[in-house]
Amino acid sequence: MPLDSDTPLNSLGFAKPPSQTRVVVAMSGGVDSSVVAAELAREGYDVVGVTLQLYDHGAALAKKGACCAGIDIHDARRVAEDMGFPHYVLDYENIFRDAVIDEFADSYLAGATPVPCIRCNERVKFKDLLQTARDLDADCMATGHYIQRKIGDNGPELHMAGDPRRDQSYFLFSTTPEQLAFLRFPLGHLTSKAETRALAAKHGLPVADKPDSQDICFVPDGNYASVIEKLRPGAGEPGEIVDIEGRVLGQHEGVIHYTIGQRRGLGIGGLADPLYVVKLDPDARQVIVGPKSELSTRIVPVREINWLGDEPMDSRAEWPLSVKVRSTRPPREAILRPTGLDTAEVELLTPEEGVSPGQACVFYETEGTRIFGGGWIWRG
C-alpha cells in the first residue's frame, strides 16, 4: 500500500496499526522464534505461527538440541496457545528431503563438506514457507535469526547481528533482495542471548530455559557418516590413506568418515610430524594426508553467487572486501574478482587453512556490518 505521510510506521515498517498487519512467524520450537512470536503478539500484531515438520528420524523426535520435529513442534504449539494466536504445522518432509538431505548426502559422497542449514534457509524456509506466508495474506514473515535488516539508499540491506557471537549471516548469505523485502528479523539488534531469554521469561514462555540447538537437525547425534550410509547404502566403502606423493600409509573405512583439516582418528601414528587430511578423492576412494602447510589456501573459486551489492558484481574487475570461509571464523580481508555472472575468484590476503569445497564463502563490508552476499566454494 502507498505510504501515508500522516501515518507513522509501525515496528515492522508498515504505515498502519499493528492490528491490521499480519505477520507469519516461522516457529522452530526454540526460544528465539518463540520470543519473536510472543513480542509481536504483545505489540498487537495479527500473528500466525507456522512450524515445519522437516524430518522424522526416530530417536530425533525426542532429542533435545535439534529442531523441527517431535518435541519442538509441541513446544511451538504451547507458546501459540499461551499467547493466543493461531499455529499451524506443515508437513515439509518430502520437500526437505529433496531440497536439502539428498544434496547433503551426495555432496559428502563427492568429498565436499556441505552446510545443509544454508540450503534449508534458501530452498525451504525462505522459498516455500515464504510463499505460504504470502498465500496467508501476510504483510511479512518474521524469524528468530540473529541478523539485521536495514533500509539503505537502494532498499533493504542485510547486516550482521548486534551480538557477534550469535551472528548468523554465514547461514543467510543466499537471501535474495526480493526475499529480504518480505522478511523481518526482530532479534537482530540484541547484544546478547541473555536479552532473548529475559524476554522469554517476561512472557512466561515454557521454552525460556530451553537449550540452543547444536547439531544439524537430521543428524541429532552428530554422526554424519551413519546418516549418509543409511541414505546411500554402500557409501562407506574402505580404501587407502595416502600422502601427497601417493605413498600408501594405511587403510580407511570410508571417505565419508573424514573432513578436510582433520588430524585425529587417522590411525597412522608413529610418524615424526603430524599429518592432516588435505584432500578427499571419493572416485579413487582415497584420503590424502599431508603436513599442515598443505592446508594453506590463498585462492578460492566460488560459484552460485548471490550478490547483494548496490552495483552489479561484474561492474568492477575487483571488489576489496572481507570474507568468511567457515562459520566459526571471523571475516578476513580479500579481493573478489568476478569471472562470470555468478562466479568469482576470491584472493585471501592472508592464507587460510582448511578451506573446503562445499562450504560457503560469505562477503562482508570491511569497515562496517553490511553483507554483500556470498557463494559456494568448489574445486575450480
Side-chain angles (χ1 to χ4, degrees):
M1 62 178 289
L3 294 181
D4 182 339
S5 59
D6 296 327
T7 305
L9 298 181
N10 61 34
S11 63
L12 293 178
F14 298 97
K16 53 184 177 179
S19 61
Q20 297 176 21
T21 306
R22 175 168 292 178
V23 51
V24 164
V25 180
M27 300 183 68
S28 68
V31 64
D32 299 325
S33 57
S34 297
V35 164
V36 167
E39 279 285 288
L40 293 174
R42 181 192 62 80
E43 290 180 40
Y45 285 97
D46 178 9
V47 173
V48 178
V50 175
T51 300
L52 303 183
Q53 180 173 318
L54 299 180
Y55 68 100
D56 182 2
H57 277 192
L61 292 178
K63 169 78 175 180
K64 292 184 178 181
C67 74
C68 308
I71 192 171
D72 303 294
I73 292 173
H74 171 72
D75 287 342
R77 183 179 290 118
R78 283 185 62 195
V79 169
E81 289 175 353
D82 290 349
M83 296 302 300
F85 59 82
H87 174 256
Y88 302 97
V89 178
L90 305 181
D91 184 352
Y92 271 42
E93 285 191 38
N94 290 336
I95 293 172
F96 186 65
R97 173 152 186 157
D98 292 343
V100 179
I101 296 181
D102 283 343
E103 182 185 76
F104 172 82
D106 293 338
S107 295
Y108 240 97
L109 289 178
T113 307
V115 191
C117 297
I118 297 176
R119 289 302 198 193
C120 181
N121 290 325
E122 173 189 333
R123 297 176 174 177
V124 180
K125 293 176 182 174
F126 291 176
K127 183 183 177 185
D128 293 284
L129 177 55
L130 192 144
Q131 184 56 50
T132 296
R134 293 186 188 277
D135 293 342
L136 290 170
D137 294 325
D139 293 283
C140 64
M141 185 173 89
T143 80
H145 289 107
Y146 288 91
I147 196 166
Q148 297 189 78
R149 173 190 182 273
K150 298 183 179 182
I151 302 300
D153 292 338
N154 294 285
E157 300 173 351
L158 208 56
H159 287 256
M160 297 173 73
D163 180 359
R165 295 165 298 179
R166 293 282 169 182
D167 177 64
Q168 292 177 289
S169 57
Y170 185 85
F171 301 99
L172 296 168
F173 78 84
S174 60
T175 305
T176 67
E178 294 76 22
Q179 292 167 344
L180 195 55
F182 193 71
L183 289 165
R184 300 294 187 274
F185 308 106
L187 303 184
H189 68 286
L190 299 184
T191 57
S192 74
K193 184 60 176 269
E195 291 184 61
T196 306
R197 293 198 182 278
L199 289 170
K202 181 186 76 173
H203 292 295
L205 300 183
V207 296
D209 297 319
K210 187 173 182 177
D212 293 337
S213 58
Q214 300 294 332
D215 302 314
I216 294 173
C217 64
F218 57 91
V219 193
D221 59 359
N223 189 342
Y224 296 180
S226 66
V227 171
I228 302 241
E229 287 185 282
K230 184 183 297 183
L231 294 169
R232 301 289 186 270
E237 295 181 5
E240 298 173 336
I241 299 176
V242 302
D243 65 16
I244 55 177
E245 302 297 331
R247 291 185 290 264
V248 177
L249 302 179
Q251 302 293 313
H252 65 76
E253 294 303 315
V255 172
I256 60 173
H257 296 282
Y258 300 85
T259 58
I260 303 295
Q262 180 177 334
R263 176 185 173 187
R264 300 182 182 279
L266 301 180
I268 49 173
L271 301 173
D273 298 311
L275 294 176
Y276 299 77
V277 176
V278 299
K279 184 180 178 183
L280 298 171
D281 187 340
D283 293 332
R285 299 206 304 274
Q286 287 186 333
V287 173
I288 298 95
V289 297
K292 193 174 185 180
S293 60
E294 290 291 324
L295 289 171
S296 184
T297 301
R298 180 180 291 275
I299 303 298
V300 182
V302 183
R303 62 184 175 184
E304 293 182 62
I305 290 174
N306 177 55
W307 179 249
L308 295 175
D310 295 330
E311 307 167 41
M313 184 181 71
D314 59 0
S315 65
R316 301 186 194 177
E318 293 186 346
W319 292 86
L321 36 69
S322 294
V323 303
K324 271 190 182 186
V325 293
R326 281 190 183 273
S327 63
T328 55
R329 296 181 183 175
R332 303 287 179 86
E333 289 191 47
I335 297 172
L336 172 73
R337 298 187 179 94
T339 57
L341 291 177
D342 67 348
T343 60
E345 180 181 270
V346 173
E347 179 182 355
L348 305 173
L349 300 192
T350 302
E352 288 259 11
E353 295 177 352
V355 177
S356 175
Q359 295 281 302
C361 180
V362 182
F363 314 144
Y364 297 85
E365 184 179 20
T366 298
E367 298 294 335
T369 61
R370 188 173 176 185
I371 297 132
F372 289 114
W376 296 93
I377 299 169
W378 65 302
R379 291 182 177 84

